[in-house]
Amino acid sequence: MSTNEANDLRSRWDGIQAGFVDEPRRSVEQADNLVAEAMKRLAETFADERAKLEAQWDRGGDVSTEDLRLALRRYRSFFNRLLSI
Protein backbone atom coordinates (compact mmCIF):
# COMPACT_ATOMS: atom_id res chain seq x y z
CA MET A 1 0.00 0.00 0.00
CA SER A 2 1.40 3.37 -0.96
CA THR A 3 1.91 6.27 1.41
CA ASN A 4 -0.80 8.22 -0.42
CA GLU A 5 -3.28 5.36 0.03
CA ALA A 6 -2.43 5.08 3.73
CA ASN A 7 -2.82 8.83 4.20
CA ASP A 8 -6.18 8.74 2.41
CA LEU A 9 -7.38 5.92 4.68
CA ARG A 10 -6.23 7.82 7.80
CA SER A 11 -7.99 10.96 6.59
CA ARG A 12 -11.18 9.05 5.98
CA TRP A 13 -10.89 7.47 9.45
CA ASP A 14 -10.55 10.92 11.01
CA GLY A 15 -13.76 11.97 9.24
CA ILE A 16 -15.59 8.90 10.46
CA GLN A 17 -14.41 9.45 14.01
CA ALA A 18 -15.40 13.12 13.92
CA GLY A 19 -18.90 12.19 12.78
CA PHE A 20 -19.48 9.80 15.68
CA VAL A 21 -20.99 12.40 18.00
CA ASP A 22 -23.73 13.32 15.53
CA GLU A 23 -24.32 9.91 13.94
CA PRO A 24 -22.77 7.08 15.97
CA ARG A 25 -24.45 4.22 14.08
CA ARG A 26 -23.47 5.64 10.70
CA SER A 27 -19.89 6.12 11.93
CA VAL A 28 -19.63 2.49 13.01
CA GLU A 29 -21.01 1.33 9.65
CA GLN A 30 -18.51 3.53 7.82
CA ALA A 31 -15.68 2.27 10.04
CA ASP A 32 -16.63 -1.30 9.21
CA ASN A 33 -16.57 -0.52 5.49
CA LEU A 34 -13.26 1.33 5.75
CA VAL A 35 -11.57 -1.49 7.68
CA ALA A 36 -12.85 -4.03 5.16
CA GLU A 37 -11.52 -1.85 2.32
CA ALA A 38 -8.12 -1.52 3.99
CA MET A 39 -7.90 -5.28 4.59
CA LYS A 40 -8.82 -5.96 0.97
CA ARG A 41 -6.20 -3.51 -0.27
CA LEU A 42 -3.52 -5.08 1.94
CA ALA A 43 -4.44 -8.54 0.67
CA GLU A 44 -4.22 -7.27 -2.92
CA THR A 45 -0.82 -5.74 -2.24
CA PHE A 46 0.54 -9.01 -0.89
CA ALA A 47 -1.01 -11.00 -3.72
CA ASP A 48 0.65 -8.68 -6.25
CA GLU A 49 4.04 -9.06 -4.57
CA ARG A 50 3.68 -12.83 -4.47
CA ALA A 51 2.67 -12.91 -8.13
CA LYS A 52 5.76 -10.90 -9.09
CA LEU A 53 8.04 -13.29 -7.22
CA GLU A 54 6.31 -16.34 -8.69
CA ALA A 55 6.53 -14.88 -12.20
CA GLN A 56 10.29 -14.46 -11.79
CA TRP A 57 10.62 -18.05 -10.56
CA ASP A 58 8.39 -19.44 -13.33
CA ARG A 59 10.46 -17.93 -16.09
CA GLY A 60 13.65 -19.20 -14.50
CA GLY A 61 14.74 -15.81 -13.27
CA ASP A 62 16.76 -15.47 -10.17
CA VAL A 63 15.14 -13.58 -7.36
CA SER A 64 17.76 -11.71 -5.41
CA THR A 65 18.29 -12.34 -1.76
CA GLU A 66 17.50 -8.68 -1.19
CA ASP A 67 14.10 -9.02 -2.92
CA LEU A 68 13.35 -12.05 -0.77
CA ARG A 69 14.52 -10.28 2.38
CA LEU A 70 12.20 -7.35 1.68
CA ALA A 71 9.30 -9.69 0.94
CA LEU A 72 9.89 -11.57 4.19
CA ARG A 73 10.05 -8.28 6.13
CA ARG A 74 6.68 -7.22 4.70
CA TYR A 75 5.15 -10.59 5.56
CA ARG A 76 6.57 -10.43 9.09
CA SER A 77 5.18 -6.93 9.61
CA PHE A 78 1.76 -7.92 8.30
CA PHE A 79 1.77 -11.14 10.34
CA ASN A 80 2.66 -9.29 13.55
CA ARG A 81 -0.12 -6.77 12.92
CA LEU A 82 -2.59 -9.61 12.45
CA LEU A 83 -1.53 -11.23 15.71
CA SER A 84 -1.80 -7.97 17.63
CA ILE A 85 -5.54 -7.73 16.97
Side-chain angles (χ1 to χ4, degrees):
M1 178 179 303
S2 74
T3 302
N4 287 340
E5 288 175 305
N7 288 338
D8 177 59
L9 290 171
R10 284 186 186 97
S11 176
R12 290 170 57 195
W13 178 263
D14 291 344
I16 290 168
Q17 194 168 345
F20 181 80
V21 173
D22 294 327
E23 297 184 63
R25 182 183 184 116
R26 183 170 182 248
S27 291
V28 171
E29 290 169 351
Q30 289 175 330
D32 178 65
N33 290 332
L34 185 61
V35 168
E37 182 181 331
M39 290 173 57
K40 180 181 175 198
R41 184 63 191 116
L42 282 172
E44 290 169 351
T45 299
F46 280 97
D48 290 345
E49 291 295 320
R50 184 181 65 231
K52 288 177 192 173
L53 288 173
E54 289 174 350
Q56 283 181 294
W57 289 331
D58 288 346
R59 57 178 190 264
D62 287 333
V63 178
S64 74
T65 301
E66 180 63 11
D67 289 339
L68 294 171
R69 185 186 73 77
L70 292 173
L72 187 59
R73 277 185 60 193
R74 285 190 293 269
Y75 278 116
R76 180 185 65 201
S77 175
F78 185 60
F79 183 72
N80 285 332
R81 282 188 240 163
L82 289 173
L83 292 180
S84 70
I85 294 175

